[in-house]
Structures are given as C-alpha cells and as structure tokens.
Amino acid sequence: MELDNYVKQIQAIRQNFLKLTPVVEKCDQILATISAYQQRQLPNVELTELELSTDLIFDNLIGYPQLMDVSPQFENLRQVLIENFGIWHVCNQLWINDLQAFCGAKAHNLEIMAGNAVISANLKNTIATDNLDWEGQDNDRPCPWTTVEKLDANAAVQKYYSHVDNIIMAWAPDSGDVDWQVLQFLRQNHFRGNLIVVGERNGATNSAEFWQNAQLQLIDQLNRHHQPFDFINDQVWLVK
C-alpha cells in the first residue's frame, strides 16, 4: 500500500471520529510511528492494540455506522511498514531503552538476520549482519539504518559468538531452519551470553524446529514496552 494514501486514510479517520477518544489515540499512535520511521528514528510512543473493541463499536454504531470499517484500516499498518520501510519487527524507543538496560551499556552485541538493522542502529556496540536474501519480498530493496555486514546467520554466529555478550534475532523467517541451526551451534559451543529472540511462538516467525526445541523464558523487562498491536502475538524471549 502506498504510504501517502495510507497516511491520508488515517488522517481522515481521525477527523471523522474526533469525539471518540480511543479512535483518535490509535490514529495518533499510527501517525507518530510512521513519521518517526520516515526520519529514520524510533517512535517515542508504544503502539497499543489497533483493533477496536466490540463494546466501543456497538456502543457507537448508531452514530458512527462506518466504525465497523476502521479496524481493518488500522491493521494494515504492519504491511505498510514492510512495503515502504522494509520493517517487519515494529519497535519503539521505550523498548530499545529496555533492551539497552538489559544488555548493558558496555556489552558487545550481535544482531543476526538484521534486515534493515533498526535495532542495531539504536543499540550501543552492536554488529549488524544479514545475507539480504529477503530483498524483493514485499520490499524492493534494503535501506539499512546502519552498516550491515553481509553474512548469513550461521556464518555470523560462528564468526562473532566468542566476542559478544548478547545475540539478537528478531523476526526470523518461518521458512527453513537456520534459527534452529544457530541454537544448536550455540549449545554445542557453550555460549555463555544471552540469545534474545523476538518472535511469535508457533506462529508467524521462526521455524517449527526452533520452537519445539528451544528452552524459552519470557523476559518481563523486555516485554513491558513490546506488546502485540495486531493479530501477530510476537514477544521477547531469552532462549537457551
């Protein structure tokens, strides 16, 4: 979906529902997120669930019959961000602050399958790596926010695992099993750092082998400002 058209749709919704505060708030979150990404910055707002509640819709349906059509337009946001910015994993500055505190200011980090490296660009001492084989999938070309070393996940982990404290894997694809290969390598080589994974368990991200074999721990600190906002229930895990 073309970005300008989507922004105009959200602005029109905002104008049409000025008296419905929950709708206005969701519009403002969406517009702030898009505006920040346009400037290659992280939004300072956290997206909350974009789908309107059933109670809100039915309580206001007589006065606003078009309210039924609003949620689907809101929930186009992730696809708009994918197509226009090459961003699958949607994060904000509040979450990055939590991630930085968890990793430590002096820690050395590696991001694998970094995509456009939004996390790496905003996290101190982080090496971004990606083989860029996603090029052309919903997004024409990579536009990384920082330098990305062209390495696939296995090569990157083998090269850097002994030199970093944290390895970050956000929104790994659900095709192939490279994530499971990475986890096996880290286990075999007794990696003492943290493997931090952002994904939807048994859902839109990562391989079935990975979810079946990973030892998962939800990290409260890293999920405080990382809440699902659409139909994908991605969370932040510490994986062993």
Side-chain angles (χ1 to χ4, degrees):
M1 180 180 294
E2 204 274 327
L3 183 64
D4 288 344
N5 288 339
Y6 183 72
V7 168
K8 289 177 182 177
Q9 287 178 16
I10 300 303
Q11 290 171 335
I13 291 171
R14 190 185 192 284
Q15 187 62 34
N16 291 335
F17 296 94
L18 281 175
K19 294 183 179 180
L20 290 182
T21 300
V23 176
V24 172
E25 289 176 345
K26 293 180 192 300
C27 288
D28 287 344
Q29 290 173 12
I30 291 171
L31 294 172
T33 298
I34 291 173
S35 177
Y37 284 143
Q38 285 178 312
Q39 302 170 66
R40 289 200 173 188
Q41 297 175 359
L42 292 178
N44 286 312
V45 298
E46 178 185 356
L47 287 171
T48 56
E49 187 175 354
L50 295 180
E51 184 180 11
L52 300 179
S53 71
T54 302
D55 287 345
L56 177 69
I57 292 173
F58 284 108
D59 287 348
N60 295 278
L61 201 53
I62 294 176
Y64 298 98
Q66 67 273 42
L67 199 57
M68 293 284 291
D69 301 325
V70 170
S71 287
Q73 290 175 278
F74 283 169
E75 292 180 338
N76 284 330
L77 175 63
R78 193 187 297 272
Q79 191 62 30
V80 168
L81 298 178
I82 291 170
E83 293 178 7
N84 291 276
F85 300 108
I87 293 174
W88 278 257
H89 167 235
V90 180
C91 66
N92 58 70
Q93 187 62 55
L94 300 172
W95 179 72
I96 283 288
N97 294 344
D98 290 341
L99 179 62
Q100 185 70 74
F102 181 85
C103 291
K106 296 182 179 180
H108 294 276
N109 314 301
L110 169 67
E111 185 180 8
I112 58 175
M113 295 183 270
N116 276 329
V118 174
I119 293 175
S120 293
N122 290 279
L123 190 66
K124 294 178 182 178
N125 306 322
T126 302
I127 301 165
T129 62
D130 196 299
N131 64 2
L132 305 180
D133 66 351
W134 53 273
E135 184 174 358
Q137 299 176 17
D138 294 318
N139 185 273
D140 290 336
R141 60 187 176 84
C143 296
W145 289 26
T146 189
T147 301
V148 176
E149 186 174 355
K150 193 170 183 180
L151 288 173
D152 66 34
N154 280 318
V157 168
Q158 291 169 22
K159 180 177 180 179
Y160 289 114
Y161 84 96
S162 61
H163 305 288
V164 297
D165 305 290
N166 302 285
I167 298 174
I168 300 161
M169 180 168 61
W171 270 67
D174 60 356
S175 56
D177 65 348
V178 65
D179 51 356
W180 171 225
Q181 294 174 34
V182 164
L183 180 55
Q184 289 182 94
F185 176 85
L186 294 176
R187 286 175 173 175
Q188 291 163 4
N189 289 274
H190 308 290
F191 177 58
R192 295 186 177 183
N194 297 312
L195 174 59
I196 301 167
V197 174
V198 185
E200 183 183 36
R201 186 177 186 179
N202 299 320
T205 75
N206 299 85
S207 66
E209 292 85 356
F210 177 83
W211 293 122
Q212 289 165 7
N213 292 282
Q215 298 173 22
L216 302 170
Q217 178 186 354
L218 273 179
I219 305 299
D220 291 341
Q221 179 181 359
L222 297 182
N223 286 279
R224 179 173 50 194
H225 294 117
H226 192 290
Q227 298 293 326
F229 64 87
D230 59 8
F231 48 87
I232 296 177
N233 184 29
D234 57 333
Q235 296 172 286
V236 189
W237 311 85
L238 193 62
V239 178
K240 297 291 185 182

